[in-house]
């Protein structure tokens, strides 16, 4: 730990109107993880996992949030309007926007969501003997 300071901007999500669409990012089911580990062990496959630091903040926002700049943005910018292009903590659509962004990234890497649990991602591969597997 290097004690670097981190600032967070937070929306007042509790003040925004409720939407009629899902706004959450999914979570992989525990049973799906057990099945995937069992499948990997039986087929002698390597297991890889990753964590995305500050996950929601990586996603582009579909909302049109903005701020009016104060002096910390430079004296030449005081009073100007700045559009925020990334998600912020507290936004009601942050989970959905992150899930959509993650999906586009995974599909770009040729991964497909599992039909049973869409939060399990897989792509076809081949063993050294040429047989195919996921």
């Amino acid at each position: 730990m290097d004690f670097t300071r981190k600032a967070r901007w937070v929306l007042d999500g509790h003040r925004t109107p409720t939407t009629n669409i899902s706004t959450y990012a999914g979570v992989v089911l525990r049973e799906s993880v057990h099945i995937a580990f069992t499948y990997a062990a039986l087929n002698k496959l390597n297991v890889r996992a990753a964590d995305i630091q500050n996950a929601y903040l990586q996603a582009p926002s579909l909302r049109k949030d903005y701020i009016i700049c104060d002096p910390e943005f430079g004296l030449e910018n005081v009073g100007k309007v700045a559009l925020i292009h990334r998600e912020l903590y507290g936004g009601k659509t942050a989970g959905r926007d992150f899930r959509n962004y993650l999906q586009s990234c995974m599909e770009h890497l040729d991964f497909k969501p599992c039909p049973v649990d869409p939060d399990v991602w897989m792509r076809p591969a081949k063993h050294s003997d040429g047989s195919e597997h996921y």
Side-chain angles (χ1 to χ4, degrees), residues 51-102:
D51 180 32
I52 303 170
Q53 299 266 330
N54 301 317
Y56 282 11
L57 304 182
Q58 306 300 320
S61 177
L62 297 178
R63 295 170 40 98
K64 300 295 181 202
D65 296 312
Y66 68 92
I67 60 166
I68 298 173
C69 297
D70 283 336
E72 62 265 22
F73 291 93
L75 294 177
E76 68 278 5
N77 294 319
V78 171
K80 291 184 179 177
V81 175
L83 183 63
I84 299 170
H85 294 279
R86 298 284 177 186
E87 271 302 337
L88 298 174
Y89 288 112
K92 286 196 175 179
T93 61
R96 182 198 64 206
D97 289 346
F98 172 71
R99 173 71 171 82
N100 292 342
Y101 180 65
L102 177 64

Side-chain angles (χ1 to χ4, degrees), residues 5-110:
R5 296 177 193 261
K6 182 193 297 187
R8 288 191 173 104
W9 288 0
V10 180
L11 288 175
D12 288 332
H14 64 286
R15 294 183 180 183
T16 58
T18 304
T19 63
N20 294 333
I21 57 174
S22 175
T23 58
Y24 299 99
V27 177
V28 66
L29 298 172
R30 181 180 298 150
E31 292 82 3
S32 298
V33 173
H34 287 261
I35 292 168
F37 282 154
T38 303
Y39 180 84
L42 291 173
N43 290 288
K44 297 182 174 119
L45 302 175
N46 293 325
V47 176
R48 295 184 183 163
D51 180 32
I52 303 170
Q53 299 266 330
N54 301 317
Y56 282 11
L57 304 182
Q58 306 300 320
S61 177
L62 297 178
R63 295 170 40 98
K64 300 295 181 202
D65 296 312
Y66 68 92
I67 60 166
I68 298 173
C69 297
D70 283 336
E72 62 265 22
F73 291 93
L75 294 177
E76 68 278 5
N77 294 319
V78 171
K80 291 184 179 177
V81 175
L83 183 63
I84 299 170
H85 294 279
R86 298 284 177 186
E87 271 302 337
L88 298 174
Y89 288 112
K92 286 196 175 179
T93 61
R96 182 198 64 206
D97 289 346
F98 172 71
R99 173 71 171 82
N100 292 342
Y101 180 65
L102 177 64
Q103 180 177 354
S104 68
C105 292
M106 295 300 280
E107 288 173 350
H108 177 74
L109 296 171
D110 295 325

